[in-house]
Amino acid sequence: MNAADWRRQFGGPRIVHGDLPLRIEGVVKPWSMDVGHSKLHLRGIIGDQEGDDGLRVLDLVFHDVSRICVPDVCRRFELRVASAEQKAAEEERVGMRWPYGTMFLLDRDRATDYVVAGRVYWAEVGISPADPSPLLGERADAAGPDEIFFA
C-alpha cells in the first residue's frame, strides 16, 4: 500500500523508520521550539531562495529534547547518530552526562552541532517556507505529508 492510500484508509500519515544519515542539500535553520513539550523544529529549505518558485521544505521535529547545540544556519546538514566516542567526548567537554536520549549530530564535519532527544521525525512537506509545520499539528485530520520518517 502506498503512502497516499494509507492516508485515505487510516486517516493520517504513514509513520516509517527512516534511514540515517539524512543529508539535506540546502539551508537548515532552527525554526521553533515548544518548551512545554520538549520539541525542537528545524526547517530545511531546498532550492533557490532568491525566488519562491520550486522551493522544497523538509521539516524535522525532535521530541523529548534534553540538550541542544544548534547553529543559526547549517549548510552542510547531515543528520546522524553520534558514536559512543563522540557522545562521551561531548559529555566530557560540557561536564554533563545525558544517559537517556540519543545524540543526533547535525553537521557533516562537526560533532559539536547536535540535539539530544528521544526521537526525531522528518518529512518533506508541500508548504511555503513561511507556513507552520504540519508535523507540529496536534490534530490527526490536519493536512500534512502522506509519509513521515523517524529515527
Side-chain angles (χ1 to χ4, degrees):
M1 176 180 305
N2 70 33
D5 291 340
W6 178 278
R7 176 177 278 289
R8 279 191 294 279
Q9 183 169 347
F10 297 106
R14 180 169 60 178
I15 311 287
V16 296
H17 192 275
D19 294 327
L20 295 180
L22 169 68
R23 277 191 172 190
I24 298 176
E25 300 298 333
V27 174
V28 177
K29 298 179 180 184
W31 211 255
S32 66
M33 289 182 68
D34 183 342
V35 180
H37 290 107
S38 301
K39 294 180 185 176
L40 172 67
H41 171 210
L42 303 182
R43 176 157 286 174
I45 302 172
I46 304 158
D48 178 15
Q49 295 194 18
E50 296 301 319
D52 285 336
D53 295 337
L55 286 180
R56 294 171 37 218
V57 175
L58 193 136
D59 280 347
L60 301 100
V61 177
F62 295 86
H63 286 246
D64 299 323
V65 175
S66 60
R67 184 162 188 83
I68 62 172
C69 187
V70 179
D72 61 342
V73 175
C74 188
R75 298 185 192 284
R76 296 178 320 259
F77 187 86
E78 182 178 273
L79 179 67
R80 64 193 190 283
V81 175
S83 68
E85 293 80 18
Q86 289 169 317
K87 182 178 177 186
E90 186 62 11
E91 288 175 333
E92 182 69 27
R93 186 182 78 81
V94 299
M96 178 180 252
R97 303 270 182 250
W98 45 83
Y100 307 106
T102 301
M103 182 177 174
F104 293 99
L105 300 178
L106 307 176
D107 190 284
R108 291 178 195 161
D109 304 317
R110 297 170 25 142
T112 54
D113 295 339
Y114 61 88
V115 176
V116 177
R119 183 158 284 180
V120 60
Y121 296 89
W122 68 91
E124 186 168 337
V125 290
I127 60 173
S128 162
D131 290 341
S133 177
L135 298 187
L136 292 173
E138 299 293 330
R139 295 179 23 208
D141 63 340
D146 290 330
E147 198 161 56
I148 298 173
F149 299 93
F150 76 92

